[in-house]
Amino acid sequence: MKKLTVKKGAACMACLQCVQACSEAFYKEFHQDKSCIHIVEKNGAVKPNICIQCGKCAKNCEAGAITQNPKTGVYMINKKLCTGCGKCAEVCPFQVIVPPVISNGPASKCIACGICVKACPMEILEIVEK
């Protein structure tokens, strides 16, 4: 399974370069709410919140628009089938699905493309096969 991960022990400096790269790649503008990666503070430290490909979004999608790619293991949203109900965003444990009300269309989520990895100056993100 292909996954975006945060390297163990790596320190995030909250520069938002990963957030910017994601939102600009998919929405052509820098908007923190239009990124599938978020920087959060937890226990006095900042860290990226990322999609762990848990599948909760797929299990809660009544339209069947979210399926797991059999080759990569990545859960993907079929934009043509997405009804824009937002249930996937509601159940995401890390709140990293861009809901339809923000994107003004179907929901979107991390597809482990690696754009954020390339943008991170601290090199704390990586795409791994698990």
Side-chain angles (χ1 to χ4, degrees):
M1 174 186 280
K2 187 174 153 182
K3 291 177 98 171
L4 172 65
T5 63
V6 179
K7 294 178 184 175
K8 292 209 186 281
C12 175
M13 65 180 193
C15 68
L16 302 179
Q17 291 298 308
C18 58
V19 175
Q20 181 175 358
C22 181
S23 76
E24 286 181 352
F26 294 99
Y27 292 101
K28 309 297 182 230
E29 67 174 311
F30 177 38
H31 191 295
Q32 289 185 28
D33 292 337
K34 291 184 177 181
S35 175
C36 298
I37 185 168
H38 297 280
I39 306 301
V40 296
E41 184 180 343
K42 191 171 187 177
N43 301 329
V46 291
K47 67 175 203 107
N49 254 7
I50 58 172
C51 176
I52 61 168
Q53 304 297 336
C54 68
K56 287 184 180 179
C57 54
K59 290 178 187 124
N60 287 276
C61 179
E62 294 174 359
I66 305 174
T67 56
Q68 188 174 30
N69 181 308
K71 289 184 181 179
T72 63
V74 173
Y75 286 91
M76 302 178 83
I77 298 174
N78 181 325
K79 307 276 186 206
K80 291 179 182 173
L81 296 178
C82 179
T83 62
C85 71
K87 289 185 180 170
C88 55
E90 290 173 14
V91 299
C92 179
F94 298 100
Q95 297 152 352
V96 289
I97 293 181
V98 179
V101 290
I102 300 289
S103 64
N104 200 17
S108 62
K109 66 172 291 301
C110 177
I111 56 171
C113 68
I115 288 171
C116 58
V117 174
K118 292 175 186 158
C120 178
M122 301 300 288
E123 298 180 349
I124 67 168
L125 301 169
E126 62 186 345
I127 301 289
V128 297
E129 290 284 335
K130 287 199 173 194

